[in-house]
Amino acid sequence: MRRPYQPSLLRLLHGATALLVPLAWLTGLVVVSTSDGRFGRLPFTLAGDWIDIHGTVGVLLWPIALLFGLYALTAGRARLRQPANALALVALALAVGSGKLMDEDWLRDGQLDHLVYSVHLLAWLLIALAVSLHVAGVLQRGGWPLARSMASVQLRPGDLPGNWFDQIRRSFRAGR
Ligand code: HEM
């Protein structure tokens, strides 16, 4: 069987997203524990301004998520026929979109009843579920070879950074 291969632009954007999402999720967990507390608290305390740290991860994540989303909807749209891939993208959009609408002073001021905050909390749960289903789906469909293909650094001819623009352009023509 041929070894699965993922386009380099997908690997770059997906890789950056897959690194930042767990960071955002974990720092968000600490924020909920330290500044909200309605759902319980972590059994340890961590020094630092976690609202600020979580916000910084969010600032790094949103432009990458935007580019990844644009890639997935154009050159990567065939992969979105997999429901678990599409769900991961929807969860990412909801988490990043609601995070952009958050005001970091709400939690500092103890204002926990904003609708946007509730949506952001829901997105935090949804992304954990969606990414778990997504990874399970990848392992079920292609096992470790498919999962590993996303972390491979191998490049095929015609899939160098100089080809990225062409790859996106071709996906528009293919969609007509
Ligand atoms: C952490 C957050 C993650 C998000 C938001 C995410 C999202 C996505 C999305 C939206 C796609 C489709 C891309 C396209 O349409 O071109 C995709 C593909 C893929 N992802 Fe992830 N992913 C994440 C983590 C992971 C992890 C940890 C793995 C490792 C197992 C993984 C492995 C893959 C693979 C192998 C594909 C290609 C699958 C296919 O051809 O159907 N992803 N991912």
Side-chain angles (χ1 to χ4, degrees):
M1 208 176 81
R2 270 189 77 177
R3 264 211 273 147
Y5 180 84
Q6 308 300 336
S8 55
L9 181 55
L10 170 63
R11 274 180 282 160
L12 183 70
L13 295 172
H14 181 280
T17 305
L19 278 178
L20 288 170
V21 164
L23 273 184
W25 197 91
L26 287 171
T27 55
L29 179 72
V30 180
V31 170
V32 172
S33 164
T34 50
S35 301
D36 186 330
R38 287 175 299 172
F39 312 99
R41 296 197 188 264
L42 292 170
F44 46 86
T45 43
L46 289 163
D49 185 343
W50 286 92
I51 296 181
D52 210 35
I53 296 170
H54 179 69
T56 305
V57 178
V59 164
L60 293 173
L61 176 59
W62 83 256
I64 290 168
L66 179 67
L67 292 176
F68 178 42
L70 289 174
Y71 178 93
L73 293 169
T74 54
R77 64 178 177 271
R79 285 180 210 88
L80 292 181
R81 282 192 216 117
Q82 290 297 330
N85 289 3
L87 185 67
L89 192 63
V90 169
L92 179 67
L94 192 67
V96 169
S98 57
K100 285 278 297 163
L101 295 176
M102 282 285 299
D103 180 332
E104 60 174 39
D105 286 335
W106 288 343
L107 294 191
R108 292 191 213 284
D109 297 345
Q111 299 176 34
L112 305 176
D113 50 1
H114 287 276
L115 177 66
V116 169
Y117 178 50
S118 304
V119 173
H120 198 51
L121 281 177
L122 209 70
W124 179 82
L125 279 178
L126 185 67
I127 198 145
L129 180 76
V131 171
S132 306
L133 289 174
H134 168 60
V135 172
V138 165
L139 290 175
Q140 192 193 15
R141 260 183 300 128
W144 283 113
L146 181 58
R148 260 205 318 262
S149 67
M150 214 24 128
S152 158
V153 289
Q154 188 204 347
L155 287 176
R156 284 186 184 162
D159 188 25
L160 300 171
N163 305 113
W164 290 348
F165 184 69
D166 235 27
Q167 291 174 354
I168 302 281
R169 218 184 37 185
R170 261 185 312 198
S171 78
F172 279 105
R173 261 189 271 142
R176 273 196 306 203

